[in-house]
Amino acid sequence: DGGITQSPKYLFRKEGQNVTLSCEQNLNHDAMYWYRQDPGQGLRLIYYSQIVNDFQKGDIAEGYSVSREKKESFPLTVTSAQKNPTAFYLCASSIGQGIVNTQYFGPGTRLTVL
Amino acid sequence: AQSVAQPEDQVNVAEGNPLTVKCTYSVSGNPYLFWYVQYPNRGLQFLLKYITGDNLVKGSYGFEAEFNKSQTSFHLKKPSALVSDSALYFCAAGGDSSYKLIFGSGTRLLVRP
């Protein structure tokens, strides 16, 4: 997990609330990613960013938003439009764009909707 | 469509015995293949990857994986399992023309003393 931090570790959200998950990396990586992990399923890509001020939707972007104003930061907002947000959220980064570059993961944030 | 299959939800092995965790893939173009390990409530840790070259890839903690192009497989192996190897293992793949990794559903490895 070294070099990538995610906060908070645990997050509880009430129905109708937006919440923001933090992801910071000090690896000087250009590319950053957000994944969602549900029990018994692999990781699913929410959003990714290959460079500052640019990002693209992944497979399950509905109900989520991101920003990439700084190279080291890629926060994810889970909006009230996300119908089933309870999951484990993982942030990753890689030195450059393209899957040839290994993605390194943060420790994750577990989000629970009350 | 691109996909990764890990056919076993759980693999049980005795400490000291060899272990194999299976993975097959379907991607467009040349495959890039990865193995990650996840301990409870933690992020994924990178173990090894295949990009090109030797079919046998060596990685962290004594793990290795064998790329088999004809069988489209990338099985993870270790000659002698440790109890501390017990964890969730993910295989991931992508084609060289793809922008994203596809992850398998994960295999839980349980090494008993």
Side-chain angles (χ1 to χ4, degrees), chain A residues 1 9-10 35 37 40-43 45 48 50 57 59 88 90 99-108 110, chain B residues 32 34 36 38 41-46 49 51 88 90 93-96 98-106:
Chain A
D1 300 344
K9 186 173 178 64
Y10 298 97
Y35 291 92
Q37 183 180 14
Q41 299 188 37
L43 278 65
L45 183 64
Y48 67 102
Q50 296 176 334
K57 293 181 179 179
D59 296 323
F88 192 50
L90 289 161
I99 60 170
V100 64
N101 298 298
T102 301
Q103 293 182 26
Y104 296 93
F105 286 79
R110 187 167 297 282
Chain B
Y32 297 148
F34 298 79
Y36 287 88
Q38 185 180 37
N41 292 311
R42 301 291 298 275
L44 275 64
Q45 294 180 30
F46 169 71
K49 71 179 181 183
I51 301 298
L88 185 59
F90 287 98
D96 58 2
S98 175
Y99 69 94
K100 68 175 184 179
L101 278 181
I102 306 298
F103 284 82
S105 56

Side-chain angles (χ1 to χ4, degrees), chain B residues 14 26 29 33-34 48 50 64 71 84 88 91 96 104 109:
Chain B
S26 174
L33 303 162
F34 298 79
L48 51 80
Y50 172 84
E64 57 189 28
Q71 297 185 6
S84 58
L88 185 59
C91 179
D96 58 2
L109 173 66

Side-chain angles (χ1 to χ4, degrees), chain B residues 6 8-11 21-22 87-89 105-109:
Chain B
Q6 294 182 242
E8 301 153 317
D9 291 335
Q10 182 161 314
V11 169
V21 183
K22 296 179 180 178
L88 185 59
Y89 290 80
S105 56
T107 298
R108 190 163 302 280
L109 173 66

